[in-house]
Amino acid sequence: MADQEREELISILADQRELFRITVRGIDDEQARKRTTASELTLGGLLHHLISCERHWTTVLTERDENAQLDVSRMAGEYLMAEGETVAGLLAEWDEVAAATAELIRTVDSLDTSVPTPTAPWSPEREWWTVRYTLLHIFREIAHHSGHADIIREELDGANTTYSRIS
């Protein structure tokens, strides 16, 4: 029998990803790159970031590197939908990342295991997070940026996660 807490974590992550997917439903690649607010954020850039973020934190959980440092040089393109990337391609990539995350959740030794996080200029002291906390951090990132995405989408064409002009 599957561990209920693990399955609930998988389910809540999937639910939050689905809310973000609803927000980008029906947009084309040009719309995904369009800024609609004073912010530099775009729907495609947020999607790119969420994939990168989830992949980063699941790597932290699997590698458990006590000497890891965040490579800040990759931050320049973190919130950009790169040339050649498409909404469809990014969503397919996110599906693969989500499946890998679900498999990790089901097979990780314990949700209570403490894992070292990479140091960064804004966090020079190594912190140790439990697997559970790290998974909840991924959830928080998706939820946080889903709010941004809703605002960007509303400015783009009036649609959002609760109202869509798409039939």
Side-chain angles (χ1 to χ4, degrees), residues 9-76:
L9 286 167
I10 292 166
S11 179
I12 197 72
L13 282 165
D15 289 349
Q16 191 60 55
R17 282 189 211 97
E18 183 58 25
L19 287 174
F20 189 93
R21 292 177 77 95
I22 290 168
T23 305
V24 299
R25 181 180 53 203
I27 65 166
D28 61 31
D29 298 335
E30 183 180 332
Q31 291 170 310
R33 288 184 171 87
K34 186 174 181 179
R35 287 181 51 209
T36 61
T37 68
S39 168
E40 295 290 326
L41 296 175
T42 65
L43 294 171
L46 287 171
L47 180 56
H48 176 95
H49 167 68
L50 290 175
I51 294 163
S52 174
C53 177
E54 186 166 343
R55 184 176 286 131
H56 165 76
W57 286 110
T58 56
T59 299
V60 167
L61 290 175
T62 56
E63 291 183 356
R64 302 180 184 191
D65 183 355
E66 293 185 35
N67 300 305
Q69 296 179 322
L70 185 65
D71 179 8
V72 294
S73 68
R74 71 178 183 88
M75 300 303 283

